[in-house]
């Protein structure tokens, strides 16, 4: 029997990564993510798995974003009792993110008359069989030898290399956009025969990452001049911490006047505490700052809004002010209340600092909608909308190609996943033309033998 790979999620879609690898009657999964789009919990997340979870020996997790971990509790509920492996930061982040998702999705399931997709008991059950492992430390599961390498996407993110039958396949997970604040750069692609590569920005070239801090600084200055409110929908994991890092630098060096900055996200606040546990995962520059006593994620004027009451009190503070809140695509969370209140006023600004999925409110706003529906209310969008693409945590097309290029002589085939149709197709075409390696965009449910 040849090693067989089946794309049960992440094929033809940015989200829902879920790849089944089989050899010698042993099955392992790479990621088990949630499909995300217009609704926080898409209908297909409730469907049965197309394989028996009880027959899976292990799951390897690339990183803690919900579109890579969100269905692990359901996998556990449906009979999985193998082992789960990731880096230690990913394990800690995942527990917080899953518990937060459970709360949000329980409300949505109730609203739509569905059973909850996950429960706290199932999350805790999964965490008991979840192991944190260092980068480069091999894990053996049946015929498979598995190693994690730093993906440079978020703290603790990994690419996963699997070896069996004398062949090797690497799953990119999400690759980072270097240079990134705080975290280490993406490690080079290790020796391999096959690659499963993400393509979120497979047809895009990011603005220079060095410009992002200047553009953020300019947005703060502009909002102070017009005495408005700067609202930033930001993912609680990684994007909020990046913004804090840059705002801390601006305030400490006097590049922006003192202005109230509110982190209106209990989850982001809890995740930031986890960052402080894993300073050995920081890049050298950030470790140097920490050793000198710099509190890199805190500065004068920063306010943390943990409770609902504290969130409401932000409304009483006169502008100018900055509000950073989740969710990053505006499909839930406290950011909706701020958008409802501040989008109709042209003095205000909405700053987009991350990927906006098709069908999300964030995508509607980014695409220039004049009117949007928020919390059941139709409102006009009069606030200025700006996008800072340099803040993307995903590699763009040139970086994805550059990651593959050093291995072109040995690569047999590349599978392009985790992108919208145009993005995946564009990257596959460039892999063939620029790297000189066969590339294929698989369909959901498709199986291939790795020979």
């Amino acid at each position: 029997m040849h090693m067989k790979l089946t794309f049960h999620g992440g094929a033809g879609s940015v989200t829902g990564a879920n790849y089944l690898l089989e050899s010698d009657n042993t099955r392992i999964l790479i990621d088990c993510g949630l499909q995300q789009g217009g609704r926080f919990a898409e209908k297909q997340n409730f469907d049965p798995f197309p394989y028996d979870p009880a027959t899976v020996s292990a799951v390897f997790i690339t990183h803690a974003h919900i579109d890579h971990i969100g269905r692990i509790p359901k996998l556990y509920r449906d009979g999985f009792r193998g082992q789960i492996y990731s880096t230690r930061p990913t394990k800690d982040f995942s527990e917080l993110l899953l518990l937060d998702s459970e709360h949000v999705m329980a409300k949505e399931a109730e609203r739509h008359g569905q059973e909850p997709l996950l429960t706290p008991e199932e999350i805790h059950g999964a965490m008991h069989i979840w192991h944190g492992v260092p980068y480069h430390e091999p894990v053996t599961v049946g015929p498979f030898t598995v190693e994690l390498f730093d993906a440079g996407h978020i703290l603790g993110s990994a690419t996963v290399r699997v070896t069996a039958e004398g062949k090797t396949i690497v799953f990119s997970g999400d690759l980072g956009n270097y240079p990134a604040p705080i975290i280490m750069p993406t490690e080079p692609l290790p020796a391999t025969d096959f690659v499963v590569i993400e393509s979120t920005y497979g047809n895009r070239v990011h603005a220079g990452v060095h410009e992002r801090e200047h553009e953020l600084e300019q947005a703060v200055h502009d909002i102070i001049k017009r005495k408005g409110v700067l609202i930033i929908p930001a993912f609680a994991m990684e994007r909020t911490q990046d913004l804090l890092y840059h705002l801390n630098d601006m305030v400490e060096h006097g590049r922006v006047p003192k202005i109230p900055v509110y982190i209106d996200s209990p989850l982001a606040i809890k995740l930031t505490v986890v960052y402080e546990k894993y300073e050995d995962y920081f890049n050298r520059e950030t470790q140097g700052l920490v050793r000198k006593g710099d509190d890199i994620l805190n500065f004068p004027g920063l306010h943390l809004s943990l409770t609902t009451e504290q969130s409401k009190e932000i409304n009483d503070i006169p502008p100018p002010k900055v509000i950073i809140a989740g969710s990053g695509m505006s499909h839930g969370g406290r950011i909706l209340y701020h958008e409802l209140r501040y989008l109709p006023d042209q003095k205000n600004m909405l700053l987009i600092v991350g990927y906006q999925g098709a069908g999300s409110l964030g995508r509607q706003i980014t695409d220039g909608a004049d009117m949007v529906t928020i919390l059941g209310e139709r409102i006009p969008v009069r606030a200025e909308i700006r996008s800072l693409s340099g803040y993307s945590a995903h590699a763009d097309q040139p970086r994805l190609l550059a990651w593959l290029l050093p291995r072109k002589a040995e690569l047999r085939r590349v599978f392009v996943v985790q992108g919208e149709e145009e993005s995946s197709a564009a990257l596959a075409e460039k892999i063939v033309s620029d790297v000189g390696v066969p590339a294929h965009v698989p369909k959901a449910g498709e199986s291939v033998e790795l020979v």
Side-chain angles (χ1 to χ4, degrees):
M1 175 181 171
H2 292 299
M3 188 157 48
K4 186 168 82 168
L5 170 64
T6 307
F7 302 88
H8 288 301
S13 168
V14 175
T15 61
N18 188 213
Y19 310 108
L20 177 68
L21 203 54
E22 301 172 84
S23 176
D24 193 25
N25 297 316
T26 301
R27 292 175 145 189
I28 64 172
L29 291 174
I30 287 78
D31 288 338
C32 190
L34 202 71
Q35 293 282 353
Q36 292 176 295
R39 281 179 54 195
F40 191 93
E42 295 296 309
K43 180 183 179 297
Q44 57 264 48
N45 292 320
F46 294 86
D47 293 342
F49 288 101
Y51 47 82
D52 180 0
T55 65
V56 176
S57 297
V59 183
F60 291 86
I61 298 300
T62 61
H63 64 286
H65 281 149
I66 286 295
D67 60 325
H68 291 258
I69 63 169
R71 291 226 293 171
I72 287 174
K74 177 174 167 54
L75 193 78
Y76 183 87
R77 175 197 300 170
D78 292 353
F80 172 72
R81 291 299 183 272
Q83 304 298 310
I84 305 170
Y85 299 94
S86 73
T87 66
R88 290 183 298 126
T90 293
K91 180 186 177 186
D92 288 1
F93 288 137
S94 294
E95 183 168 16
L96 289 172
L97 288 160
L98 286 169
L99 288 168
D100 180 76
S101 294
E102 183 277 327
H103 176 70
V104 173
M105 287 190 285
K107 289 183 178 177
E108 184 151 318
E110 183 181 358
R111 195 160 58 244
H112 292 277
Q114 295 167 316
E115 289 295 313
L117 181 65
L118 58 160
T119 67
E121 292 74 25
E122 289 152 5
I123 294 169
H124 294 312
M127 297 315 297
H128 280 303
I129 54 174
W130 195 315
H131 308 277
V133 295
Y135 292 124
H136 313 135
E137 184 175 289
V139 175
T140 301
V141 180
F144 297 108
T145 300
V146 186
E147 241 182 302
L148 306 181
F149 297 79
D150 198 332
H153 173 58
I154 62 175
L155 197 72
S157 61
T159 59
V160 178
R161 181 171 70 172
V162 184
T163 303
E165 306 171 4
K167 296 183 289 288
T168 300
I169 180 168
V170 169
F171 296 81
S172 73
D174 288 346
L175 295 178
N177 183 22
Y178 182 76
I182 305 174
I183 64 173
M184 294 279 197
T186 303
E187 285 192 79
L189 173 62
T192 188
D193 302 298
F194 305 94
V195 169
V196 176
I197 192 169
E198 66 121 325
S199 59
T200 306
Y201 287 107
N203 61 347
R204 294 274 295 279
V205 179
H206 292 323
V209 292
H210 296 291
E211 298 166 15
R212 62 190 168 197
E213 193 170 358
H214 170 72
E215 291 172 349
L216 175 62
E217 184 178 327
Q218 189 60 53
V220 173
H221 279 291
D222 290 347
I223 214 67
I224 291 171
K225 282 180 193 171
R226 62 175 86 154
K227 294 184 172 56
V229 180
L230 177 61
I231 45 176
I232 308 178
F235 297 105
M237 174 77 239
E238 182 268 337
R239 195 59 39 80
T240 295
Q241 291 77 26
D242 285 356
L243 289 165
L244 286 175
Y245 180 86
H246 283 147
L247 287 165
N248 170 71
D249 187 60
M250 291 175 206
V251 170
E252 285 193 349
H253 291 90
R255 300 205 310 274
V256 295
K258 187 174 177 182
I259 179 175
V261 176
Y262 293 89
I263 303 299
D264 192 16
S265 168
L267 177 60
I269 294 165
K270 292 172 188 173
L271 291 168
T272 301
V273 172
V274 177
Y275 264 72
E276 294 163 0
K277 264 180 74 176
Y278 293 107
E279 291 172 359
D280 53 328
Y281 283 76
F282 292 177
N283 62 38
R284 288 176 185 171
E285 179 187 357
T286 307
Q287 286 189 28
L289 291 172
V290 171
R291 280 195 294 270
K292 290 175 184 173
D294 190 346
D295 191 349
I296 60 166
L297 303 177
N298 193 14
F299 50 88
L302 178 65
H303 305 272
L304 306 179
S305 300
L306 268 170
T307 67
T308 303
E309 194 57 40
Q310 287 171 327
S311 177
K312 291 176 180 176
E313 288 171 359
I314 297 172
N315 298 329
D316 300 329
I317 305 302
K321 58 189 172 186
V322 178
I323 303 169
I324 301 170
S327 68
M329 295 189 210
S330 300
H331 57 31
R334 293 182 180 179
I335 193 65
L336 295 179
Y337 296 94
H338 299 299
E339 289 174 336
L340 183 66
R341 184 180 184 91
Y342 297 116
L343 281 179
D345 191 334
Q346 61 186 9
K347 292 198 307 293
N348 302 328
M349 184 191 303
L350 180 75
L351 199 60
I352 300 292
V353 293
Y355 178 78
Q356 304 299 304
S360 66
L361 174 61
R363 174 65 75 87
Q364 293 175 46
I365 294 170
T366 305
D367 287 347
D370 295 323
M371 298 283 294
V372 292
T373 301
I374 300 178
L375 300 172
E377 187 175 335
R378 291 287 287 172
I379 64 160
V381 180
R382 298 193 187 102
E384 181 185 358
I385 311 300
R386 288 189 194 175
S387 295
L388 305 187
S389 67
Y391 264 99
S392 173
H394 288 265
D396 60 5
Q397 186 189 84
R399 290 199 180 277
L400 293 167
L401 295 171
W403 188 67
L404 294 171
L405 203 56
R407 296 293 180 186
K408 63 179 292 184
E410 68 209 45
L411 278 175
R412 300 189 201 177
R413 199 174 186 193
V414 176
F415 303 97
V416 183
V417 297
Q418 289 161 226
E420 294 177 11
E421 185 178 343
E422 301 83 0
S423 180
S424 296
L427 182 62
E429 187 177 320
K430 290 290 282 184
I431 291 170
V432 173
S433 65
D434 292 19
V435 184
V437 174
H440 173 60
V441 181
K443 298 188 184 309
E446 183 177 337
S447 292
V448 293
E449 288 196 348
L450 303 179
V451 294

